[in-house]
Amino acid sequence: MKISITLSTILLATLIAIPSFAQTTSTSPAGVSGRTSATQSAATDGQPNQQEMMKQMMELSKLNENHKLLTDLDGNWNYTIKFWMNPDPNAKPQESKGTAVRKSMMDGRFSTLDVAGKMEMPGPDGKKKEMTFKGHGIDGYDNVKKKFVGSWVDNMGTGIMFSEGTYDPATKTFTYTSEYEGIPGMKQKIREVIKVTDNDHHSLEWYEDRGGQEVKTMEINYTRAGKK
């Protein structure tokens, strides 16, 4: 997200600088007249001019129904989570509970998700220990890519997971894909399926690619806490 903001800033600065540059070169010595010709030709060789570029940027910054799909999830949530960490497919999943808060920002262009809960994790000695889990995500719809985009960080690692996704209106389902390297040299392909049941319930299923075979390793069910 920071990269796209930086690029937009640079582009805006360039657009603002073009008229000033053209005015300066028009009164400059003959030795730099070639620069003026290059600037003039750029506006006539099929490349978008300043007005066209600005118009396109403004159009791409507008909100649409895809952004509303995310803002509809704003509010406070309680969740239950199941983990399938045991390689034995018949083993019972580990379960825990927590809370989540979704908020819109940038006038509805992005949605933040803050998660907090408790879970048992194996320590260095192999024994399970209850740990506090905290996570933070940012989701949005990129009008340029025409895809949903997201990032995720938590207190269980130091990397940032980036994802891209689509939405199926028939099933009210978001599907995100990503790749995360939690251990050096071990990149993990991830698929997340978020299904909206109704205004007060939605779920997330997490799948990991293990040797070419996709395995479901996590399921989260959200219930709205109070009215939106």
Side-chain angles (χ1 to χ4, degrees):
M1 311 311 293
K2 292 181 179 179
I3 294 175
S4 63
I5 292 173
T6 302
L7 290 177
S8 298
T9 303
I10 294 173
L11 181 54
L12 279 171
T14 303
L15 291 175
I16 293 171
I18 289 175
S20 176
F21 177 74
Q23 182 178 3
T24 302
T25 53
S26 65
T27 57
S28 296
V32 294
S33 60
R35 296 183 182 180
T36 304
S37 299
T39 304
Q40 292 172 340
S41 62
T44 59
D45 64 359
Q47 297 298 318
N49 59 30
Q50 176 187 349
Q51 289 75 20
E52 291 172 343
M53 293 173 70
M54 181 61 72
K55 181 179 179 181
Q56 186 176 27
M57 286 183 65
M58 295 301 293
E59 189 66 27
L60 289 170
S61 71
K62 291 181 179 180
L63 301 176
N64 55 47
E65 66 277 5
N66 294 298
H67 300 97
K68 187 178 184 303
L69 290 171
L70 296 174
T71 60
D72 284 345
L73 297 175
D74 284 358
N76 298 321
W77 301 83
N78 294 319
Y79 71 80
T80 57
I81 183 171
K82 293 181 180 180
F83 288 102
W84 285 268
M85 301 181 69
N86 194 314
D88 182 358
N90 298 316
K92 291 185 178 180
Q94 178 182 327
E95 297 185 28
S96 64
K97 298 181 179 181
T99 59
V101 179
R102 280 187 175 272
K103 294 181 180 180
S104 296
M105 66 176 189
M106 303 299 173
D107 301 320
R109 289 175 175 79
F110 301 97
S111 176
T112 63
L113 171 64
D114 286 286
V115 174
K118 300 281 187 179
M119 64 175 63
E120 288 189 342
M121 297 292 290
D125 58 359
K127 296 181 179 180
K128 289 185 178 180
K129 180 181 179 181
E130 186 177 71
M131 300 180 65
T132 298
F133 176 80
K134 293 182 180 181
H136 177 76
I138 300 179
D139 293 311
Y141 182 80
D142 189 327
N143 288 333
V144 176
K145 291 183 176 181
K146 297 187 183 302
K147 291 182 179 180
F148 288 90
V149 292
S151 64
W152 176 262
V153 295
D154 57 49
N155 63 340
M156 305 296 286
T158 58
I160 302 177
M161 186 178 78
F162 297 98
S163 58
E164 293 186 350
T166 58
Y167 178 75
D168 179 8
T171 59
K172 296 183 179 180
T173 301
F174 298 88
T175 302
Y176 287 85
T177 57
S178 58
E179 187 175 74
Y180 184 73
E181 188 173 9
I183 299 175
M186 295 181 64
K187 293 184 178 181
Q188 185 78 63
K189 290 183 178 180
I190 306 295
R191 183 169 69 95
E192 299 172 75
V193 179
I194 303 171
K195 185 171 184 178
V196 179
T197 306
D198 53 43
N199 185 58
D200 298 323
H201 302 86
H202 65 276
S203 63
L204 179 149
E205 293 182 342
W206 176 283
Y207 297 88
E208 299 178 6
D209 185 332
R210 296 184 175 179
Q213 183 176 2
E214 192 176 65
V215 179
K216 178 181 176 179
T217 59
M218 183 171 65
E219 178 182 303
I220 308 175
N221 288 287
Y222 295 88
T223 300
R224 190 181 294 278
K227 295 182 179 180
K228 180 178 176 182

